[in-house]
Amino acid sequence: MIRASAAEYDGSYAILPGLGSAFAPYDQQTYLAAGAPLPGSSVYLSGIPGLTAGVYALLPARYALLPGAFLVKQVSGYRDMNDRQRIAQPDGSLITPGYFTTLINPGAAARDARTSGFVVRSGASIKYDVDYGTRTLSDWIARSGAAWQAPADA
């Protein structure tokens, strides 16, 4: 059962706290898609409970389903927020101040001059918006009756 439309995630990105501001992994097929972040793109977030303030590399939104990941989206109407200000949303997410930044070369970055509001949701809460079916290659081979041995799933 789908509880959220795909349009709700337009303009959204994923961040992985363990990755920090390091360059994100690059997949040409993913980054050629509309709305994918450019390599070197990152966001500074003032932090929320469970996510410390800092600069985080932007990943395509689908990576928000990884363990420990967060989904972030810039929202209008929240310019120049106080650095300590957090605004709770009905779905349990928080709006926190932040800004986009781009690594130009090692040691130099360009950033937005003013802060904006970013809604931040944990990846675990995203899973409740859509009903996902998890399937493995081993299960598919077993159901298909293939004569070859099923490999261990990665």
Side-chain angles (χ1 to χ4, degrees), residues 9-62:
Y9 297 106
D10 286 349
S12 296
Y13 303 98
I15 58 170
L16 287 168
L19 185 61
S21 64
F23 277 109
Y26 181 80
D27 176 355
Q28 185 172 354
Q29 290 178 322
T30 300
Y31 284 92
L32 292 176
L38 296 173
S41 298
S42 55
V43 65
Y44 168 81
L45 297 171
S46 293
I48 61 169
L51 179 68
T52 60
V55 177
Y56 298 96
L58 293 175
L59 299 163
R62 68 181 179 167

Side-chain angles (χ1 to χ4, degrees), residues 18-99:
L19 185 61
S21 64
F23 277 109
Y26 181 80
D27 176 355
Q28 185 172 354
Q29 290 178 322
T30 300
Y31 284 92
L32 292 176
L38 296 173
S41 298
S42 55
V43 65
Y44 168 81
L45 297 171
S46 293
I48 61 169
L51 179 68
T52 60
V55 177
Y56 298 96
L58 293 175
L59 299 163
R62 68 181 179 167
Y63 288 93
L65 296 173
L66 292 173
F70 291 85
L71 186 76
V72 298
K73 182 178 182 177
Q74 186 178 28
V75 289
S76 61
Y78 295 95
R79 276 276 194 218
D80 301 322
M81 290 176 66
N82 178 316
D83 202 37
R84 293 190 252 323
Q85 189 176 5
R86 308 292 178 272
I87 301 169
Q89 300 300 293
D91 65 0
S93 62
L94 291 171
I95 295 177
T96 187
Y99 53 82

